[in-house]
Amino acid sequence: DPALSRSLFIQRALIERDWDARHRFLADNRALLEEVAELEHRARRRALVADEAQLYDFYAARIPPEVVSGTTFDRWWKDARRKDPRRLTFTRELLVGDAGVDRDALPDEWRQGDLALPLTYRFEPGSETDGITVNVPLEALAELRSDGFDWLVPGLREELVTALIRSLPKELRRPLVPIPETAARVVAELQGDGSGPLVEAVARALERLRGVRVEPSQFALERLPAHLRARFAVHDGGGEVVAAGEDLDALREQMRPRLRAQLARQTAALERSGLRDWTVDELPRSVSLPGGGDQLRAYPALVDEGDSVAVRALETPAAQAAAMRAGTRRLLRLTVPSPLRSIRRGLDAPAALTLAGAPHGGAAAVLEDALTAALDKLIASCGGPAWDAAGWAALRERVAEGLSATTRAGVADVVAVLDAAADVRRRLDELAPDAALQPARLDVAAQRGGLVHPGFAAAAGADRLPDVVRYLRAAARRLERLPHAVAADRDRMGAIHELEAEYRARGGRAAAPAVHWMLQELRVAHSAQGLGVRGKASAKQVRRELAAAAG
């Protein structure tokens, strides 16, 4: 079916980029897409950038009918690019059209004296990063002044002034209606001002324009939406965000540089690198700094360095716990014989074929993933991680005893996951090219990608892999029934998306890990309840868990 093959090639290889080709236009198009996608955040408007249908039409109009695969494309493109090397390269006009985004009003950086601070724009209502973030190098934090940031950037000023006027008491708002018109006149009046607090300038303008006397304290600043308040992110020398928030003075009070310097000096004798076995006597759970009290403590941990392990002092118990899991796993990998060669020899032909096609770079990578999941399971069940030599010896012995059987069971589960994922992929490809089915198709594709990806076994955990199989089978049943239940599926999908948005706004998996799986169970309850649902799966339960995670 050449027509279907051509359609699939354009969609999968060129638009979804599921093709490992090194053509220059693909890299250029990807870079331009990433650049213009940022405009939606900057302008706080959805659908600014061309959608998949427009990109499909672009390629379809420029690629001849005989191109139906990577091979036929390469054959045609070899000659076509000599005549017109930009034939398949996106343009900004194609991707953005006449969106009318004034980049000068939404600048890339904030200038204060000699400082030029990069600005990050995010259009994610409900998220703590929604709005404008001023990125501040650690070394510039001390000299940065707070004044001026309340004015925001010119492109958001009219919305900001509108919100300020709406925050006034009712008796003051009444003579200012229509408020949007008043706000526009105030912003025009403020052109070239920019001095002192914004609320004072707005109050002066309102009195001049409308004769309404307003005290700056009467503006309810706490009612301003998050995206109309500047946020700051402090970066260390490596670009990592070490502190963030709206209160610049509070961020300065955290004194991260001094804390880091003190931690480094105090723990220098404890830290080591290049360890390939347990050669430390005992690893302290924490180290207090003289005169620092509870505010100045370091938390030593094993840190995975790839081919060895290090001892490093970390700043929080959470960072210590995460590092200890990974470091203990690496040290066991270095000291306990691997069962993978024996397991691979014992695979039957179908299992070997499934692993060879895994989205991990081949069977070796997916087997390593299964081994990692098995090690994590054994570390937890055997009382790990260890903190002294005796505890390490006992942990290593127990893990060595159970590693082969646990990994073998995990590999079987991984094969089942990959087979179920392949079935979902096949059903997605077979789905009729009907616009009414496209939202569900994209939703299932995103769900599949979130469940099956490089490292999925370790990310899910060995005990959760059978559930992942069930989630994928439920997705396959959903696709099977979709053409006959589009409206019902759309309603259920909308309910899930609403919960997922709340979940992301509350910090996602890092803040509420249980909700990640509750949402998957809720999808099963919606699409294939006959497969069974683990635990309680309802919107009410999800929201209750989110509230509990938020404290």
Side-chain angles (χ1 to χ4, degrees), residues 115-437:
L115 296 176
L117 308 174
L119 297 178
T120 301
Y121 295 82
R122 286 289 177 270
F123 183 24
E124 298 173 358
S127 166
E128 65 176 13
T129 59
D130 186 36
I132 297 178
T133 297
V134 184
N135 296 283
V136 185
L138 202 55
E139 61 273 14
L141 186 59
E143 62 179 296
L144 186 63
R145 303 185 310 277
S146 302
D147 53 295
F149 291 107
D150 56 331
W151 287 70
L152 289 185
V153 294
L156 290 177
R157 197 160 298 150
E158 188 167 326
E159 183 182 357
L160 172 58
V161 171
T162 301
L164 283 171
I165 295 174
R166 292 188 190 279
S167 76
L168 289 170
K170 186 176 182 179
E171 62 273 13
L172 292 176
R173 291 200 312 270
R174 191 177 296 113
L176 299 176
V177 295
I179 289 176
E181 179 182 313
T182 301
R185 292 184 60 191
V186 168
V187 170
E189 181 83 4
L190 294 178
Q191 295 297 332
D193 191 334
S195 60
L198 175 65
V199 289
E200 294 180 3
V202 172
R204 291 194 299 269
L206 288 174
E207 187 169 8
R208 285 195 303 268
L209 295 170
R210 291 297 189 92
V212 177
R213 186 176 183 83
V214 177
E215 294 296 330
S217 60
Q218 291 178 295
F219 292 105
L221 299 180
E222 70 279 359
R223 289 171 51 190
L224 287 179
H227 72 278
L228 296 179
R229 300 193 297 264
R231 177 179 177 273
F232 303 91
V234 182
H235 298 257
D236 66 8
E240 181 183 356
V241 176
V242 294
E246 296 179 6
D247 190 333
L248 195 56
D249 292 329
L251 292 176
R252 269 192 283 265
E253 297 260 338
Q254 294 183 36
M255 302 177 70
R256 288 289 181 114
R258 180 178 298 180
L259 174 59
R260 291 193 174 200
Q262 286 177 310
L263 289 176
R265 287 194 297 270
Q266 183 69 16
T267 60
L270 179 68
E271 295 188 349
R272 303 184 188 181
S273 61
L275 304 181
R276 299 181 63 84
D277 201 345
W278 189 282
T279 56
V280 295
D281 182 23
E282 182 177 359
L283 200 59
R285 302 296 181 103
S286 66
V287 176
S288 60
L289 303 181
D294 289 337
Q295 299 300 315
L296 296 177
R297 298 182 73 84
Y299 301 90
L302 299 178
V303 176
D304 183 3
E305 291 187 318
D307 59 354
S308 64
V309 171
V311 175
R312 295 281 182 264
L314 305 179
E315 292 186 19
T316 67
Q320 179 191 47
M324 279 298 290
R325 285 192 296 270
T328 300
R329 181 201 307 142
R330 175 60 61 189
L331 206 55
L332 287 167
R333 189 71 180 84
L334 292 169
T335 57
V336 175
S338 170
L340 292 183
R341 182 176 298 178
S342 171
I343 291 173
R344 192 166 187 173
R345 284 199 303 265
L347 292 173
D348 58 25
L353 187 62
T354 294
L355 292 176
H360 293 62
V366 74
L367 286 171
E368 282 288 345
D369 187 21
L371 177 60
T372 297
L375 283 168
D376 285 344
K377 178 178 180 178
L378 289 169
I379 291 169
S381 64
C382 296
W387 294 90
D388 56 35
W392 165 254
L395 175 65
R396 182 187 178 283
E397 182 179 356
R398 295 181 65 184
V399 168
E401 290 174 355
L403 188 58
S404 179
T406 304
T407 306
R408 199 177 302 276
V411 169
D413 288 335
V414 165
V415 170
V417 169
L418 294 174
D419 285 339
D423 182 45
V424 172
R425 178 78 265 178
R426 177 180 60 79
R427 291 177 185 272
L428 285 170
D429 291 342
E430 292 174 351
L431 207 60
D434 185 340
L437 306 180

Side-chain angles (χ1 to χ4, degrees), residues 45-95:
R45 288 156 54 191
R46 298 295 187 201
L48 281 182
V49 181
D51 59 23
E52 285 192 1
Q54 292 170 286
L55 302 184
Y56 183 98
D57 291 343
F58 171 86
Y59 282 124
R62 290 162 174 77
I63 296 174
E66 62 268 19
V67 172
V68 296
S69 67
T71 302
T72 54
F73 177 90
D74 289 342
R75 189 182 307 127
W76 165 75
W77 185 236
K78 182 177 181 181
D79 294 328
R81 68 186 175 191
R82 292 195 184 100
K83 300 176 184 177
D84 184 4
R86 307 290 294 175
R87 180 184 180 93
L88 299 181
T89 302
F90 296 156
T91 63
R92 185 179 295 275
E93 292 70 27
L94 166 73
L95 298 183

Side-chain angles (χ1 to χ4, degrees), residues 515-530:
V515 173
H516 174 77
W517 301 114
M518 291 175 71
L519 290 169
Q520 294 295 337
E521 296 294 344
L522 189 55
R523 285 178 175 271
V524 176
H526 283 176
S527 303
Q529 197 163 13

